[in-house]
Amino acid sequence: MKIELSIILPIYNVYNYLNRCVQSIIQQKFDDYELILVDDGSTDGSSELCDELAATDKRIRVIHKQNGGLSSARNAGFEAATGEYIFWIDSDDWIREDALTIIDAELKISKPDILKFNYYRNTDSQIPIKNSMDLGVYSGSLKEKLVQYTFQNVSVYGFTVWTHVYKRSFLKQSGLRFVSERKIGSEDFIFNYEAYIAAETIAIIHECLYFYDLREGSLSQTYRENTYQRFNELYKQLSNWLMEHNCFDKYQKYAAYFYVGRILGCISAEYKVYSNHQIEDGHKNVKKMLDATVFQDAIKYARCLEKNKEKKILLYLCEHRCEKAIYWIFTRRLLEGG
């Protein structure tokens, strides 16, 4: 008998949050799913909790594996999945009480390769985060415009995997898998760009169905030394994928625009003080970024696509390696809270 949804939870040391996530799934009225818990070598009791949860519900399966990272766990769950559609959920988040019913209804109507929905950001309050694209089914030229939009507006569109559901046969046929987050800047971005380009139909609904639990501390408070290198690797792998699929000329300028935006984010981080990073080191690192041939080549594409006047000036300064002026712009923004 066919299963509609394979819900996959990558799990690593989330003992305090895992039950909340699982309960938000098994308490749904919709029940045509399998729930695959992928224990990625947890050491905090999450592994044992997975087995306890599976013993209470026949729809739950557990995979125990050696630690390999988020992408590795997602891929392991996908290989074990049997559902018509795949829904990856981060195990420290949760879903709305009617999320699966709404997802199922849309899948039955539009039968898309990819379904996109919105989410809530949970901090002190629950803030709805919505993309600005019209609801509906995108195919043909409309889908191409959607792909271009996502490249140019990735930060506001919401390109996380957990705001999407994917047809399993489409992913199989396209050979799509997650690249390790230990190698590239964002495993979600490259996966979704490749998926969006390969898909024939993408359906968008406006309901916020997912709760992203944005907790204090951790990564945002620490300078990550290899972020720049990982975004370089992402851009390299994405460019190679575009060439392999004979669409390099069609999408390269958009990929370059996306890449430049990520490097500008890296430059911004260099001009902040962290416990493990000083401004003096930031100046040196930014100068190296500005001198990099791959960044200089990408800027030429980005300047043609950029419409914001202030950003065009910033790109001009980057192209001419005006590091002092760039530093002034970024520190002015920081002082203004921008």
Side-chain angles (χ1 to χ4, degrees):
M1 186 175 177
K2 266 191 173 181
I3 297 173
E4 177 75 3
L5 280 174
S6 289
I7 303 172
I8 302 170
L9 271 60
I11 295 160
Y12 179 70
N13 289 356
V14 287
Y15 181 84
N16 292 332
Y17 307 97
L18 178 57
N19 189 60
R20 177 182 66 180
C21 182
V22 171
Q23 292 303 318
S24 77
I25 297 167
I26 64 177
Q27 291 176 7
Q28 302 269 320
K29 290 183 179 179
F30 175 85
D31 65 355
D32 188 12
Y33 64 83
E34 60 179 354
L35 177 55
I36 304 174
L37 309 181
V38 185
D39 168 37
D40 192 37
S42 296
T43 58
D44 70 338
S46 295
S47 178
E48 293 78 9
L49 180 55
C50 285
D51 293 330
E52 292 172 13
L53 291 166
T56 68
D57 195 310
K58 63 182 181 180
R59 295 169 298 185
I60 301 177
R61 287 195 284 148
V62 181
I63 297 172
H64 295 289
K65 61 183 289 294
Q66 290 185 341
N67 180 257
L70 176 61
S71 293
S72 171
R74 284 176 172 171
N75 288 336
F78 176 68
E79 294 304 326
T82 61
E84 186 175 356
Y85 281 88
I86 304 293
F87 185 9
W88 280 286
I89 298 177
D90 284 359
S91 51
D92 52 353
D93 299 329
W94 72 99
I95 59 175
R96 209 172 86 180
E97 66 275 2
D98 56 353
L100 299 186
T101 298
I102 293 172
I103 288 171
D104 175 63
E106 182 60 37
L107 294 179
K108 282 181 166 57
I109 293 171
S110 56
K111 304 185 188 308
D113 289 330
I114 303 172
L115 171 64
K116 170 74 168 71
F117 47 86
N118 293 316
Y119 70 101
Y120 294 98
R121 185 171 61 214
N122 186 64
T123 51
D124 294 331
S125 60
Q126 293 171 352
I127 304 169
I129 308 297
K130 299 184 178 182
N131 72 74
S132 59
M133 297 301 293
D134 293 335
L135 61 83
V137 179
Y138 290 73
S139 61
S141 61
L142 284 178
K143 193 217 74 167
E144 296 305 318
K145 290 180 180 178
L146 175 62
V147 172
Q148 294 171 14
Y149 176 86
T150 58
F151 271 117
Q152 294 179 267
N153 299 277
V154 64
S155 298
V156 297
Y157 180 73
F159 228 29
T160 54
V161 167
W162 38 258
T163 55
H164 295 77
V165 172
Y166 308 83
K167 184 179 289 185
R168 186 167 65 93
S169 60
F170 156 68
L171 295 179
K172 287 277 188 181
Q173 291 165 8
S174 303
L176 292 170
R177 298 294 185 276
F178 289 95
V179 180
S180 174
E181 73 281 2
R182 298 172 180 179
K183 297 180 180 179
I184 62 171
S186 172
E187 68 285 350
D188 285 27
F189 287 171
I190 192 169
F191 181 87
N192 268 331
Y193 279 133
E194 293 174 0
Y196 268 52
I197 291 170
E200 291 188 7
T201 56
I202 301 170
I204 293 179
I205 59 176
H206 285 171
E207 285 87 352
C208 293
L209 303 179
Y210 189 100
F211 292 90
Y212 167 53
D213 201 8
L214 184 61
R215 301 189 303 276
E216 286 187 11
S218 68
L219 298 177
S220 62
Q221 307 302 317
T222 306
Y223 172 77
R224 290 182 282 175
E225 295 182 2
N226 62 345
T227 302
Y228 168 67
Q229 290 80 3
R230 289 164 65 228
F231 276 121
N232 276 344
E233 183 61 26
L234 185 157
Y235 183 51
K236 176 184 175 182
Q237 292 200 26
L238 181 56
S239 296
N240 289 340
W241 187 89
L242 293 174
M243 285 189 282
E244 291 170 4
H245 291 79
N246 301 314
C247 53
F248 182 84
D249 293 339
K250 187 175 185 178
Y251 292 112
Q252 180 60 18
K253 62 182 178 181
Y254 300 104
Y257 183 93
F258 161 77
Y259 165 71
V260 168
R262 308 288 71 73
I263 300 307
L264 291 178
C266 292
I267 290 173
S268 176
E270 292 292 344
Y271 290 143
K272 297 176 183 177
V273 176
Y274 300 85
S275 61
N276 60 336
H277 176 74
Q278 300 301 315
I279 290 294
E280 291 76 13
D281 296 320
H283 285 293
K284 296 176 184 177
N285 292 337
V286 170
K287 289 176 182 177
K288 291 179 182 177
M289 293 181 195
L290 297 176
D291 285 337
T293 301
V294 62
F295 183 53
Q296 287 295 324
D297 289 344
I299 287 174
K300 294 177 175 63
Y301 287 113
R303 285 187 63 195
C304 295
L305 292 174
E306 184 57 67
K307 297 178 181 178
N308 180 278
K309 183 178 179 181
E310 185 176 345
K311 287 185 179 179
K312 286 179 77 76
I313 293 172
L314 179 59
L315 293 177
Y316 176 87
L317 294 174
C318 287
E319 187 174 9
H320 291 81
R321 300 171 173 82
C322 302
E323 194 269 332
K324 290 183 179 179
I326 295 167
Y327 172 70
W328 180 84
I329 288 176
F330 275 106
T331 52
R332 176 174 65 91
R333 286 178 176 173
L334 290 174
L335 290 171
E336 293 176 353

